[in-house]
Amino acid sequence: MVLNNCLLIGAYFLGSIPFGLLITRWVRGVDIRQVGSGNIGASNVSRACGKHWGRVTLLLDAAKGALATSLMGIYGNSEWAPWAAVCAVVGHCWPIWLRFKGGKGVATTAGGTLVLSPIATGLAVSSWLVAYLVSRKSSLGALVGCLVLTLAVLGLDADLLGPVVALVGVVVLRHRENMRRLWSGEERNSSL
């Protein structure tokens, strides 16, 4: 029990590593929170440093979710692994190091769910990609991916539904301004 709790806390701290901020400081010497949307995620890093560094950020943010989930599955109680993914996403979205102002959790969610349900995650990522390519809006892709992830888990791995709903809930909560802009036609295009 103590080990599981330590791994959950560790998942939060792992998730809270602000790779987008670290990369933009290293590559351009700027604070990503002062550029573009002010978000520390891959889309804004692409705007600030180019597509290559945006993709690196996306992979590192996904790796946080995958690693946190895997560590719980290996060293802790594997039934708690989905909650380690949730903790990593919460860490990414509300990192203690950045006064609880972080990213939107999409890549970290994908990394965590890839470990838990690869097929459902593959379907979600594919739907994100299609929605993004059609609309050029990463936020719309993320919301479509969340819907597909929830439905795919419901059909393939229903025992993961609770944690996946928590993950999707965090991502949707973090996208509420994007949803408002999408609805009003004001959401800008992304460049990943």
Side-chain angles (χ1 to χ4, degrees):
M1 185 70 154
V2 172
L3 177 61
N4 291 330
N5 289 333
C6 289
L7 287 167
L8 291 175
I9 293 167
Y12 169 83
F13 283 106
L14 179 61
S16 71
I17 299 170
F19 286 117
L21 176 69
L22 297 173
I23 287 171
T24 54
R25 280 194 178 157
W26 179 63
V27 172
R28 291 282 164 99
V30 298
D31 185 337
I32 190 68
R33 297 169 295 177
Q34 306 301 319
V35 177
S37 67
N39 190 280
I40 65 168
S43 292
N44 204 34
V45 172
S46 290
R47 288 184 201 105
C49 298
K51 291 180 182 181
H52 169 74
W53 292 109
R55 292 173 183 150
V56 169
T57 302
L58 186 133
L59 290 174
L60 289 171
D61 285 346
K64 297 188 299 190
L67 183 58
T69 306
S70 296
L71 289 173
M72 179 61 85
I74 294 168
Y75 297 108
N77 183 335
S78 62
E79 293 178 9
W80 289 38
W83 298 106
V86 172
C87 289
V89 171
V90 168
H92 177 79
C93 295
W94 295 283
I96 192 170
W97 324 113
L98 303 180
R99 297 183 181 165
F100 305 102
K101 295 178 183 173
K104 298 193 176 177
V106 177
T108 309
T109 293
T113 59
L114 183 62
V115 172
L116 299 168
S117 182
I119 295 172
T121 304
L123 292 169
V125 169
S126 298
S127 67
W128 171 87
L129 184 60
V130 168
Y132 168 72
L133 291 173
V134 169
S135 69
R136 304 311 293 177
K137 293 175 180 23
S138 183
S139 58
L140 181 60
L143 295 167
V144 169
C146 282
L147 175 63
V148 170
L149 178 64
T150 304
L151 295 174
V153 163
L154 184 61
L156 297 169
D157 296 301
D159 56 318
L160 296 174
L161 189 58
V164 166
V165 167
L167 290 165
V168 165
V170 168
V171 172
V172 170
L173 176 68
R174 298 296 289 168
H175 279 82
R176 37 184 209 285
E177 284 301 311
N178 301 88
M179 290 186 291
R180 183 192 59 75
R181 288 192 299 269
L182 284 166
W183 186 258
S184 65
E186 299 169 359
E187 181 75 336
R188 64 183 145 199
N189 290 349
S190 306
S191 60
L192 280 177

mmCIF file with all atom_site columns, all heavy atoms in Angstrom, residues 11-18 40 64 85-97 100-103 108:
data_model
loop_
_atom_site.group_PDB
_atom_site.id
_atom_site.type_symbol
_atom_site.label_atom_id
_atom_site.label_alt_id
_atom_site.label_comp_id
_atom_site.label_asym_id
_atom_site.label_entity_id
_atom_site.label_seq_id
_atom_site.pdbx_PDB_ins_code
_atom_site.Cartn_x
_atom_site.Cartn_y
_atom_site.Cartn_z
_atom_site.occupancy
_atom_site.B_iso_or_equiv
_atom_site.pdbx_formal_charge
_atom_site.auth_seq_id
_atom_site.auth_comp_id
_atom_site.auth_asym_id
_atom_site.auth_atom_id
_atom_site.pdbx_PDB_model_num
ATOM 1   N N   . ALA A 1 11  ? 4.186  9.544  -9.828  1.00 0.00 ? 11  ALA A N   1
ATOM 2   C CA  . ALA A 1 11  ? 3.550  9.760  -11.130 1.00 0.00 ? 11  ALA A CA  1
ATOM 3   C C   . ALA A 1 11  ? 3.163  11.222 -11.303 1.00 0.00 ? 11  ALA A C   1
ATOM 4   O O   . ALA A 1 11  ? 3.349  11.801 -12.380 1.00 0.00 ? 11  ALA A O   1
ATOM 5   C CB  . ALA A 1 11  ? 2.329  8.854  -11.279 1.00 0.00 ? 11  ALA A CB  1
ATOM 6   N N   . TYR A 1 12  ? 2.650  11.819 -10.248 1.00 0.00 ? 12  TYR A N   1
ATOM 7   C CA  . TYR A 1 12  ? 2.319  13.251 -10.311 1.00 0.00 ? 12  TYR A CA  1
ATOM 8   C C   . TYR A 1 12  ? 3.576  14.070 -10.606 1.00 0.00 ? 12  TYR A C   1
ATOM 9   O O   . TYR A 1 12  ? 3.582  14.929 -11.494 1.00 0.00 ? 12  TYR A O   1
ATOM 10  C CB  . TYR A 1 12  ? 1.670  13.740 -9.003  1.00 0.00 ? 12  TYR A CB  1
ATOM 11  C CG  . TYR A 1 12  ? 1.583  15.240 -8.955  1.00 0.00 ? 12  TYR A CG  1
ATOM 12  C CD1 . TYR A 1 12  ? 0.527  15.906 -9.571  1.00 0.00 ? 12  TYR A CD1 1
ATOM 13  C CD2 . TYR A 1 12  ? 2.585  16.001 -8.354  1.00 0.00 ? 12  TYR A CD2 1
ATOM 14  C CE1 . TYR A 1 12  ? 0.468  17.293 -9.583  1.00 0.00 ? 12  TYR A CE1 1
ATOM 15  C CE2 . TYR A 1 12  ? 2.533  17.382 -8.361  1.00 0.00 ? 12  TYR A CE2 1
ATOM 16  C CZ  . TYR A 1 12  ? 1.481  18.023 -8.974  1.00 0.00 ? 12  TYR A CZ  1
ATOM 17  O OH  . TYR A 1 12  ? 1.429  19.390 -8.997  1.00 0.00 ? 12  TYR A OH  1
ATOM 18  N N   . PHE A 1 13  ? 4.651  13.817 -9.866  1.00 0.00 ? 13  PHE A N   1
ATOM 19  C CA  . PHE A 1 13  ? 5.873  14.595 -10.054 1.00 0.00 ? 13  PHE A CA  1
ATOM 20  C C   . PHE A 1 13  ? 6.511  14.330 -11.417 1.00 0.00 ? 13  PHE A C   1
ATOM 21  O O   . PHE A 1 13  ? 7.049  15.250 -12.044 1.00 0.00 ? 13  PHE A O   1
ATOM 22  C CB  . PHE A 1 13  ? 6.851  14.352 -8.911  1.00 0.00 ? 13  PHE A CB  1
ATOM 23  C CG  . PHE A 1 13  ? 6.475  15.094 -7.665  1.00 0.00 ? 13  PHE A CG  1
ATOM 24  C CD1 . PHE A 1 13  ? 5.930  14.426 -6.579  1.00 0.00 ? 13  PHE A CD1 1
ATOM 25  C CD2 . PHE A 1 13  ? 6.624  16.467 -7.591  1.00 0.00 ? 13  PHE A CD2 1
ATOM 26  C CE1 . PHE A 1 13  ? 5.556  15.113 -5.437  1.00 0.00 ? 13  PHE A CE1 1
ATOM 27  C CE2 . PHE A 1 13  ? 6.248  17.170 -6.451  1.00 0.00 ? 13  PHE A CE2 1
ATOM 28  C CZ  . PHE A 1 13  ? 5.713  16.496 -5.373  1.00 0.00 ? 13  PHE A CZ  1
ATOM 29  N N   . LEU A 1 14  ? 6.445  13.105 -11.887 1.00 0.00 ? 14  LEU A N   1
ATOM 30  C CA  . LEU A 1 14  ? 6.933  12.801 -13.226 1.00 0.00 ? 14  LEU A CA  1
ATOM 31  C C   . LEU A 1 14  ? 6.118  13.570 -14.263 1.00 0.00 ? 14  LEU A C   1
ATOM 32  O O   . LEU A 1 14  ? 6.670  14.199 -15.183 1.00 0.00 ? 14  LEU A O   1
ATOM 33  C CB  . LEU A 1 14  ? 6.852  11.293 -13.489 1.00 0.00 ? 14  LEU A CB  1
ATOM 34  C CG  . LEU A 1 14  ? 7.299  10.808 -14.864 1.00 0.00 ? 14  LEU A CG  1
ATOM 35  C CD1 . LEU A 1 14  ? 8.763  11.149 -15.116 1.00 0.00 ? 14  LEU A CD1 1
ATOM 36  C CD2 . LEU A 1 14  ? 7.084  9.296  -14.969 1.00 0.00 ? 14  LEU A CD2 1
ATOM 37  N N   . GLY A 1 15  ? 4.804  13.551 -14.117 1.00 0.00 ? 15  GLY A N   1
ATOM 38  C CA  . GLY A 1 15  ? 3.932  14.279 -15.035 1.00 0.00 ? 15  GLY A CA  1
ATOM 39  C C   . GLY A 1 15  ? 4.155  15.776 -15.000 1.00 0.00 ? 15  GLY A C   1
ATOM 40  O O   . GLY A 1 15  ? 3.920  16.474 -15.989 1.00 0.00 ? 15  GLY A O   1
ATOM 41  N N   . SER A 1 16  ? 4.626  16.278 -13.876 1.00 0.00 ? 16  SER A N   1
ATOM 42  C CA  . SER A 1 16  ? 4.777  17.734 -13.732 1.00 0.00 ? 16  SER A CA  1
ATOM 43  C C   . SER A 1 16  ? 6.075  18.275 -14.335 1.00 0.00 ? 16  SER A C   1
ATOM 44  O O   . SER A 1 16  ? 6.298  19.485 -14.309 1.00 0.00 ? 16  SER A O   1
ATOM 45  C CB  . SER A 1 16  ? 4.673  18.131 -12.256 1.00 0.00 ? 16  SER A CB  1
ATOM 46  O OG  . SER A 1 16  ? 5.821  17.704 -11.549 1.00 0.00 ? 16  SER A OG  1
ATOM 47  N N   . ILE A 1 17  ? 6.923  17.416 -14.896 1.00 0.00 ? 17  ILE A N   1
ATOM 48  C CA  . ILE A 1 17  ? 8.134  17.918 -15.564 1.00 0.00 ? 17  ILE A CA  1
ATOM 49  C C   . ILE A 1 17  ? 7.696  18.707 -16.805 1.00 0.00 ? 17  ILE A C   1
ATOM 50  O O   . ILE A 1 17  ? 7.093  18.143 -17.716 1.00 0.00 ? 17  ILE A O   1
ATOM 51  C CB  . ILE A 1 17  ? 9.077  16.762 -15.968 1.00 0.00 ? 17  ILE A CB  1
ATOM 52  C CG1 . ILE A 1 17  ? 9.533  15.991 -14.736 1.00 0.00 ? 17  ILE A CG1 1
ATOM 53  C CG2 . ILE A 1 17  ? 10.278 17.308 -16.753 1.00 0.00 ? 17  ILE A CG2 1
ATOM 54  C CD1 . ILE A 1 17  ? 10.266 14.690 -15.065 1.00 0.00 ? 17  ILE A CD1 1
ATOM 55  N N   . PRO A 1 18  ? 7.992  19.998 -16.869 1.00 0.00 ? 18  PRO A N   1
ATOM 56  C CA  . PRO A 1 18  ? 7.499  20.852 -17.966 1.00 0.00 ? 18  PRO A CA  1
ATOM 57  C C   . PRO A 1 18  ? 8.434  20.827 -19.183 1.00 0.00 ? 18  PRO A C   1
ATOM 58  O O   . PRO A 1 18  ? 9.176  21.774 -19.443 1.00 0.00 ? 18  PRO A O   1
ATOM 59  C CB  . PRO A 1 18  ? 7.433  22.234 -17.323 1.00 0.00 ? 18  PRO A CB  1
ATOM 60  C CG  . PRO A 1 18  ? 8.555  22.222 -16.320 1.00 0.00 ? 18  PRO A CG  1
ATOM 61  C CD  . PRO A 1 18  ? 8.627  20.797 -15.815 1.00 0.00 ? 18  PRO A CD  1
ATOM 62  N N   . ILE A 1 40  ? 2.221  25.236 -22.266 1.00 0.00 ? 40  ILE A N   1
ATOM 63  C CA  . ILE A 1 40  ? 3.534  24.576 -22.280 1.00 0.00 ? 40  ILE A CA  1
ATOM 64  C C   . ILE A 1 40  ? 3.564  23.330 -23.165 1.00 0.00 ? 40  ILE A C   1
ATOM 65  O O   . ILE A 1 40  ? 4.559  22.628 -23.210 1.00 0.00 ? 40  ILE A O   1
ATOM 66  C CB  . ILE A 1 40  ? 3.996  24.198 -20.854 1.00 0.00 ? 40  ILE A CB  1
ATOM 67  C CG1 . ILE A 1 40  ? 3.078  23.143 -20.228 1.00 0.00 ? 40  ILE A CG1 1
ATOM 68  C CG2 . ILE A 1 40  ? 4.121  25.430 -19.975 1.00 0.00 ? 40  ILE A CG2 1
ATOM 69  C CD1 . ILE A 1 40  ? 3.624  22.512 -18.959 1.00 0.00 ? 40  ILE A CD1 1
ATOM 70  N N   . LYS A 1 64  ? 5.978  10.630 -20.359 1.00 0.00 ? 64  LYS A N   1
ATOM 71  C CA  . LYS A 1 64  ? 5.674  10.793 -18.928 1.00 0.00 ? 64  LYS A CA  1
ATOM 72  C C   . LYS A 1 64  ? 4.500  9.913  -18.527 1.00 0.00 ? 64  LYS A C   1
ATOM 73  O O   . LYS A 1 64  ? 4.554  9.223  -17.504 1.00 0.00 ? 64  LYS A O   1
ATOM 74  C CB  . LYS A 1 64  ? 5.338  12.254 -18.599 1.00 0.00 ? 64  LYS A CB  1
ATOM 75  C CG  . LYS A 1 64  ? 6.448  13.228 -18.820 1.00 0.00 ? 64  LYS A CG  1
ATOM 76  C CD  . LYS A 1 64  ? 6.136  14.619 -18.316 1.00 0.00 ? 64  LYS A CD  1
ATOM 77  C CE  . LYS A 1 64  ? 4.968  15.289 -18.955 1.00 0.00 ? 64  LYS A CE  1
ATOM 78  N NZ  . LYS A 1 64  ? 4.857  16.725 -18.588 1.00 0.00 ? 64  LYS A NZ  1
ATOM 79  N N   . ALA A 1 85  ? -1.648 6.823  -14.371 1.00 0.00 ? 85  ALA A N   1
ATOM 80  C CA  . ALA A 1 85  ? -1.801 7.644  -15.581 1.00 0.00 ? 85  ALA A CA  1
ATOM 81  C C   . ALA A 1 85  ? -2.557 8.927  -15.255 1.00 0.00 ? 85  ALA A C   1
ATOM 82  O O   . ALA A 1 85  ? -2.173 10.017 -15.701 1.00 0.00 ? 85  ALA A O   1
ATOM 83  C CB  . ALA A 1 85  ? -2.525 6.847  -16.670 1.00 0.00 ? 85  ALA A CB  1
ATOM 84  N N   . VAL A 1 86  ? -3.617 8.808  -14.470 1.00 0.00 ? 86  VAL A N   1
ATOM 85  C CA  . VAL A 1 86  ? -4.384 9.992  -14.073 1.00 0.00 ? 86  VAL A CA  1
ATOM 86  C C   . VAL A 1 86  ? -3.498 10.960 -13.292 1.00 0.00 ? 86  VAL A C   1
ATOM 87  O O   . VAL A 1 86  ? -3.509 12.176 -13.548 1.00 0.00 ? 86  VAL A O   1
ATOM 88  C CB  . VAL A 1 86  ? -5.634 9.602  -13.252 1.00 0.00 ? 86  VAL A CB  1
ATOM 89  C CG1 . VAL A 1 86  ? -6.332 10.826 -12.681 1.00 0.00 ? 86  VAL A CG1 1
ATOM 90  C CG2 . VAL A 1 86  ? -6.601 8.777  -14.103 1.00 0.00 ? 86  VAL A CG2 1
ATOM 91  N N   . CYS A 1 87  ? -2.698 10.444 -12.365 1.00 0.00 ? 87  CYS A N   1
ATOM 92  C CA  . CYS A 1 87  ? -1.807 11.306 -11.575 1.00 0.00 ? 87  CYS A CA  1
ATOM 93  C C   . CYS A 1 87  ? -0.786 12.010 -12.461 1.00 0.00 ? 87  CYS A C   1
ATOM 94  O O   . CYS A 1 87  ? -0.478 13.188 -12.243 1.00 0.00 ? 87  CYS A O   1
ATOM 95  C CB  . CYS A 1 87  ? -1.102 10.495 -10.489 1.00 0.00 ? 87  CYS A CB  1
ATOM 96  S SG  . CYS A 1 87  ? -2.197 9.987  -9.155  1.00 0.00 ? 87  CYS A SG  1
ATOM 97  N N   . ALA A 1 88  ? -0.249 11.304 -13.460 1.00 0.00 ? 88  ALA A N   1
ATOM 98  C CA  . ALA A 1 88  ? 0.711  11.925 -14.370 1.00 0.00 ? 88  ALA A CA  1
ATOM 99  C C   . ALA A 1 88  ? 0.055  13.057 -15.163 1.00 0.00 ? 88  ALA A C   1
ATOM 100 O O   . ALA A 1 88  ? 0.653  14.127 -15.353 1.00 0.00 ? 88  ALA A O   1
ATOM 101 C CB  . ALA A 1 88  ? 1.300  10.880 -15.315 1.00 0.00 ? 88  ALA A CB  1
ATOM 102 N N   . VAL A 1 89  ? -1.167 12.846 -15.612 1.00 0.00 ? 89  VAL A N   1
ATOM 103 C CA  . VAL A 1 89  ? -1.882 13.884 -16.366 1.00 0.00 ? 89  VAL A CA  1
ATOM 104 C C   . VAL A 1 89  ? -2.203 15.076 -15.469 1.00 0.00 ? 89  VAL A C   1
ATOM 105 O O   . VAL A 1 89  ? -2.045 16.231 -15.871 1.00 0.00 ? 89  VAL A O   1
ATOM 106 C CB  . VAL A 1 89  ? -3.145 13.309 -17.038 1.00 0.00 ? 89  VAL A CB  1
ATOM 107 C CG1 . VAL A 1 89  ? -4.018 14.402 -17.629 1.00 0.00 ? 89  VAL A CG1 1
ATOM 108 C CG2 . VAL A 1 89  ? -2.751 12.296 -18.112 1.00 0.00 ? 89  VAL A CG2 1
ATOM 109 N N   . VAL A 1 90  ? -2.618 14.809 -14.249 1.00 0.00 ? 90  VAL A N   1
ATOM 110 C CA  . VAL A 1 90  ? -2.872 15.900 -13.294 1.00 0.00 ? 90  VAL A CA  1
ATOM 111 C C   . VAL A 1 90  ? -1.579 16.679 -13.057 1.00 0.00 ? 90  VAL A C   1
ATOM 112 O O   . VAL A 1 90  ? -1.577 17.918 -13.027 1.00 0.00 ? 90  VAL A O   1
ATOM 113 C CB  . VAL A 1 90  ? -3.471 15.353 -11.979 1.00 0.00 ? 90  VAL A CB  1
ATOM 114 C CG1 . VAL A 1 90  ? -3.456 16.406 -10.880 1.00 0.00 ? 90  VAL A CG1 1
ATOM 115 C CG2 . VAL A 1 90  ? -4.889 14.845 -12.216 1.00 0.00 ? 90  VAL A CG2 1
ATOM 116 N N   . GLY A 1 91  ? -0.452 15.973 -12.934 1.00 0.00 ? 91  GLY A N   1
ATOM 117 C CA  . GLY A 1 91  ? 0.836  16.644 -12.776 1.00 0.00 ? 91  GLY A CA  1
ATOM 118 C C   . GLY A 1 91  ? 1.180  17.514 -13.969 1.00 0.00 ? 91  GLY A C   1
ATOM 119 O O   . GLY A 1 91  ? 1.703  18.621 -13.818 1.00 0.00 ? 91  GLY A O   1
ATOM 120 N N   . HIS A 1 92  ? 0.894  17.015 -15.173 1.00 0.00 ? 92  HIS A N   1
ATOM 121 C CA  . HIS A 1 92  ? 1.178  17.803 -16.377 1.00 0.00 ? 92  HIS A CA  1
ATOM 122 C C   . HIS A 1 92  ? 0.293  19.047 -16.441 1.00 0.00 ? 92  HIS A C   1
ATOM 123 O O   . HIS A 1 92  ? 0.763  20.127 -16.806 1.00 0.00 ? 92  HIS A O   1
ATOM 124 C CB  . HIS A 1 92  ? 0.956  16.947 -17.639 1.00 0.00 ? 92  HIS A CB  1
ATOM 125 C CG  . HIS A 1 92  ? 1.157  17.709 -18.902 1.00 0.00 ? 92  HIS A CG  1
ATOM 126 N ND1 . HIS A 1 92  ? 2.407  17.978 -19.401 1.00 0.00 ? 92  HIS A ND1 1
ATOM 127 C CD2 . HIS A 1 92  ? 0.275  18.279 -19.747 1.00 0.00 ? 92  HIS A CD2 1
ATOM 128 C CE1 . HIS A 1 92  ? 2.276  18.685 -20.517 1.00 0.00 ? 92  HIS A CE1 1
ATOM 129 N NE2 . HIS A 1 92  ? 0.991  18.877 -20.741 1.00 0.00 ? 92  HIS A NE2 1
ATOM 130 N N   . CYS A 1 93  ? -0.961 18.889 -16.104 1.00 0.00 ? 93  CYS A N   1
ATOM 131 C CA  . CYS A 1 93  ? -1.910 20.010 -16.194 1.00 0.00 ? 93  CYS A CA  1
ATOM 132 C C   . CYS A 1 93  ? -1.766 21.015 -15.058 1.00 0.00 ? 93  CYS A C   1
ATOM 133 O O   . CYS A 1 93  ? -1.982 22.212 -15.263 1.00 0.00 ? 93  CYS A O   1
ATOM 134 C CB  . CYS A 1 93  ? -3.338 19.474 -16.229 1.00 0.00 ? 93  CYS A CB  1
ATOM 135 S SG  . CYS A 1 93  ? -3.700 18.513 -17.714 1.00 0.00 ? 93  CYS A SG  1
ATOM 136 N N   . TRP A 1 94  ? -1.411 20.527 -13.879 1.00 0.00 ? 94  TRP A N   1
ATOM 137 C CA  . TRP A 1 94  ? -1.271 21.402 -12.707 1.00 0.00 ? 94  TRP A CA  1
ATOM 138 C C   . TRP A 1 94  ? 0.059  21.118 -12.002 1.00 0.00 ? 94  TRP A C   1
ATOM 139 O O   . TRP A 1 94  ? 0.082  20.610 -10.878 1.00 0.00 ? 94  TRP A O   1
ATOM 140 C CB  . TRP A 1 94  ? -2.451 21.206 -11.762 1.00 0.00 ? 94  TRP A CB  1
ATOM 141 C CG  . TRP A 1 94  ? -3.754 21.633 -12.383 1.00 0.00 ? 94  TRP A CG  1
ATOM 142 C CD1 . TRP A 1 94  ? -4.196 22.915 -12.542 1.00 0.00 ? 94  TRP A CD1 1
ATOM 143 C CD2 . TRP A 1 94  ? -4.772 20.782 -12.917 1.00 0.00 ? 94  TRP A CD2 1
ATOM 144 N NE1 . TRP A 1 94  ? -5.427 22.906 -13.163 1.00 0.00 ? 94  TRP A NE1 1
ATOM 145 C CE2 . TRP A 1 94  ? -5.806 21.613 -13.409 1.00 0.00 ? 94  TRP A CE2 1
ATOM 146 C CE3 . TRP A 1 94  ? -4.908 19.399 -13.045 1.00 0.00 ? 94  TRP A CE3 1
ATOM 147 C CZ2 . TRP A 1 94  ? -6.955 21.119 -13.994 1.00 0.00 ? 94  TRP A CZ2 1
ATOM 148 C CZ3 . TRP A 1 94  ? -6.050 18.906 -13.647 1.00 0.00 ? 94  TRP A CZ3 1
ATOM 149 C CH2 . TRP A 1 94  ? -7.061 19.759 -14.102 1.00 0.00 ? 94  TRP A CH2 1
ATOM 150 N N   . PRO A 1 95  ? 1.194  21.468 -12.654 1.00 0.00 ? 95  PRO A N   1
ATOM 151 C CA  . PRO A 1 95  ? 2.504  21.164 -12.073 1.00 0.00 ? 95  PRO A CA  1
ATOM 152 C C   . PRO A 1 95  ? 2.853  22.101 -10.912 1.00 0.00 ? 95  PRO A C   1
ATOM 153 O O   . PRO A 1 95  ? 2.684  23.318 -11.012 1.00 0.00 ? 95  PRO A O   1
ATOM 154 C CB  . PRO A 1 95  ? 3.469  21.376 -13.245 1.00 0.00 ? 95  PRO A CB  1
ATOM 155 C CG  . PRO A 1 95  ? 2.779  22.366 -14.121 1.00 0.00 ? 95  PRO A CG  1
ATOM 156 C CD  . PRO A 1 95  ? 1.303  22.108 -13.960 1.00 0.00 ? 95  PRO A CD  1
ATOM 157 N N   . ILE A 1 96  ? 3.337  21.512 -9.854  1.00 0.00 ? 96  ILE A N   1
ATOM 158 C CA  . ILE A 1 96  ? 3.689  22.295 -8.670  1.00 0.00 ? 96  ILE A CA  1
ATOM 159 C C   . ILE A 1 96  ? 4.776  23.313 -9.004  1.00 0.00 ? 96  ILE A C   1
ATOM 160 O O   . ILE A 1 96  ? 4.797  24.410 -8.457  1.00 0.00 ? 96  ILE A O   1
ATOM 161 C CB  . ILE A 1 96  ? 4.106  21.355 -7.512  1.00 0.00 ? 96  ILE A CB  1
ATOM 162 C CG1 . ILE A 1 96  ? 4.194  22.129 -6.202  1.00 0.00 ? 96  ILE A CG1 1
ATOM 163 C CG2 . ILE A 1 96  ? 5.390  20.621 -7.849  1.00 0.00 ? 96  ILE A CG2 1
ATOM 164 C CD1 . ILE A 1 96  ? 4.349  21.259 -4.983  1.00 0.00 ? 96  ILE A CD1 1
ATOM 165 N N   . TRP A 1 97  ? 5.676  22.975 -9.937  1.00 0.00 ? 97  TRP A N   1
ATOM 166 C CA  . TRP A 1 97  ? 6.812  23.847 -10.279 1.00 0.00 ? 97  TRP A CA  1
ATOM 167 C C   . TRP A 1 97  ? 6.375  25.123 -10.981 1.00 0.00 ? 97  TRP A C   1
ATOM 168 O O   . TRP A 1 97  ? 7.109  26.105 -10.974 1.00 0.00 ? 97  TRP A O   1
ATOM 169 C CB  . TRP A 1 97  ? 7.801  23.118 -11.183 1.00 0.00 ? 97  TRP A CB  1
ATOM 170 C CG  . TRP A 1 97  ? 7.960  21.672 -10.890 1.00 0.00 ? 97  TRP A CG  1
ATOM 171 C CD1 . TRP A 1 97  ? 7.596  20.629 -11.692 1.00 0.00 ? 97  TRP A CD1 1
ATOM 172 C CD2 . TRP A 1 97  ? 8.506  21.084 -9.718  1.00 0.00 ? 97  TRP A CD2 1
ATOM 173 N NE1 . TRP A 1 97  ? 7.881  19.441 -11.093 1.00 0.00 ? 97  TRP A NE1 1
ATOM 174 C CE2 . TRP A 1 97  ? 8.441  19.686 -9.874  1.00 0.00 ? 97  TRP A CE2 1
ATOM 175 C CE3 . TRP A 1 97  ? 9.041  21.604 -8.537  1.00 0.00 ? 97  TRP A CE3 1
ATOM 176 C CZ2 . TRP A 1 97  ? 8.902  18.798 -8.901  1.00 0.00 ? 97  TRP A CZ2 1
ATOM 177 C CZ3 . TRP A 1 97  ? 9.494  20.708 -7.577  1.00 0.00 ? 97  TRP A CZ3 1
ATOM 178 C CH2 . TRP A 1 97  ? 9.420  19.338 -7.761  1.00 0.00 ? 97  TRP A CH2 1
ATOM 179 N N   . PHE A 1 100 ? 0.982  25.519 -10.603 1.00 0.00 ? 100 PHE A N   1
ATOM 180 C CA  . PHE A 1 100 ? -0.205 24.760 -11.013 1.00 0.00 ? 100 PHE A CA  1
ATOM 181 C C   . PHE A 1 100 ? -0.809 25.257 -12.329 1.00 0.00 ? 100 PHE A C   1
ATOM 182 O O   . PHE A 1 100 ? -2.000 25.105 -12.559 1.00 0.00 ? 100 PHE A O   1
ATOM 183 C CB  . PHE A 1 100 ? -1.246 24.730 -9.890  1.00 0.00 ? 100 PHE A CB  1
ATOM 184 C CG  . PHE A 1 100 ? -0.687 24.199 -8.604  1.00 0.00 ? 100 PHE A CG  1
ATOM 185 C CD1 . PHE A 1 100 ? -0.329 25.054 -7.568  1.00 0.00 ? 100 PHE A CD1 1
ATOM 186 C CD2 . PHE A 1 100 ? -0.454 22.845 -8.445  1.00 0.00 ? 100 PHE A CD2 1
ATOM 187 C CE1 . PHE A 1 100 ? 0.219  24.566 -6.391  1.00 0.00 ? 100 PHE A CE1 1
ATOM 188 C CE2 . PHE A 1 100 ? 0.102  22.349 -7.271  1.00 0.00 ? 100 PHE A CE2 1
ATOM 189 C CZ  . PHE A 1 100 ? 0.435  23.207 -6.245  1.00 0.00 ? 100 PHE A CZ  1
ATOM 190 N N   . LYS A 1 101 ? 0.021  25.817 -13.213 1.00 0.00 ? 101 LYS A N   1
ATOM 191 C CA  . LYS A 1 101 ? -0.429 26.272 -14.535 1.00 0.00 ? 101 LYS A CA  1
ATOM 192 C C   . LYS A 1 101 ? 0.369  25.524 -15.596 1.00 0.00 ? 101 LYS A C   1
ATOM 193 O O   . LYS A 1 101 ? 1.467  25.935 -15.967 1.00 0.00 ? 101 LYS A O   1
ATOM 194 C CB  . LYS A 1 101 ? -0.245 27.781 -14.684 1.00 0.00 ? 101 LYS A CB  1
ATOM 195 C CG  . LYS A 1 101 ? -1.121 28.568 -13.737 1.00 0.00 ? 101 LYS A CG  1
ATOM 196 C CD  . LYS A 1 101 ? -0.897 30.041 -13.872 1.00 0.00 ? 101 LYS A CD  1
ATOM 197 C CE  . LYS A 1 101 ? -1.760 30.780 -12.850 1.00 0.00 ? 101 LYS A CE  1
ATOM 198 N NZ  . LYS A 1 101 ? -1.457 32.202 -12.822 1.00 0.00 ? 101 LYS A NZ  1
ATOM 199 N N   . GLY A 1 102 ? -0.192 24.413 -16.073 1.00 0.00 ? 102 GLY A N   1
ATOM 200 C CA  . GLY A 1 102 ? 0.521  23.572 -17.016 1.00 0.00 ? 102 GLY A CA  1
ATOM 201 C C   . GLY A 1 102 ? -0.182 23.423 -18.338 1.00 0.00 ? 102 GLY A C   1
ATOM 202 O O   . GLY A 1 102 ? -0.862 24.333 -18.816 1.00 0.00 ? 102 GLY A O   1
ATOM 203 N N   . GLY A 1 103 ? -0.013 22.246 -18.934 1.00 0.00 ? 103 GLY A N   1
ATOM 204 C CA  . GLY A 1 103 ? -0.541 21.965 -20.261 1.00 0.00 ? 103 GLY A CA  1
ATOM 205 C C   . GLY A 1 103 ? -1.960 21.440 -20.230 1.00 0.00 ? 103 GLY A C   1
ATOM 206 O O   . GLY A 1 103 ? -2.661 21.552 -19.221 1.00 0.00 ? 103 GLY A O   1
ATOM 207 N N   . THR A 1 108 ? 0.151  13.328 -22.658 1.00 0.00 ? 108 THR A N   1
ATOM 208 C CA  . THR A 1 108 ? 0.379  12.522 -21.453 1.00 0.00 ? 108 THR A CA  1
ATOM 209 C C   . THR A 1 108 ? -0.726 11.485 -21.289 1.00 0.00 ? 108 THR A C   1
ATOM 210 O O   . THR A 1 108 ? -0.467 10.341 -20.903 1.00 0.00 ? 108 THR A O   1
ATOM 211 C CB  . THR A 1 108 ? 0.500  13.433 -20.216 1.00 0.00 ? 108 THR A CB  1
ATOM 212 O OG1 . THR A 1 108 ? 1.460  14.463 -20.500 1.00 0.00 ? 108 THR A OG1 1
ATOM 213 C CG2 . THR A 1 108 ? 0.970  12.661 -19.004 1.00 0.00 ? 108 THR A CG2 1
#
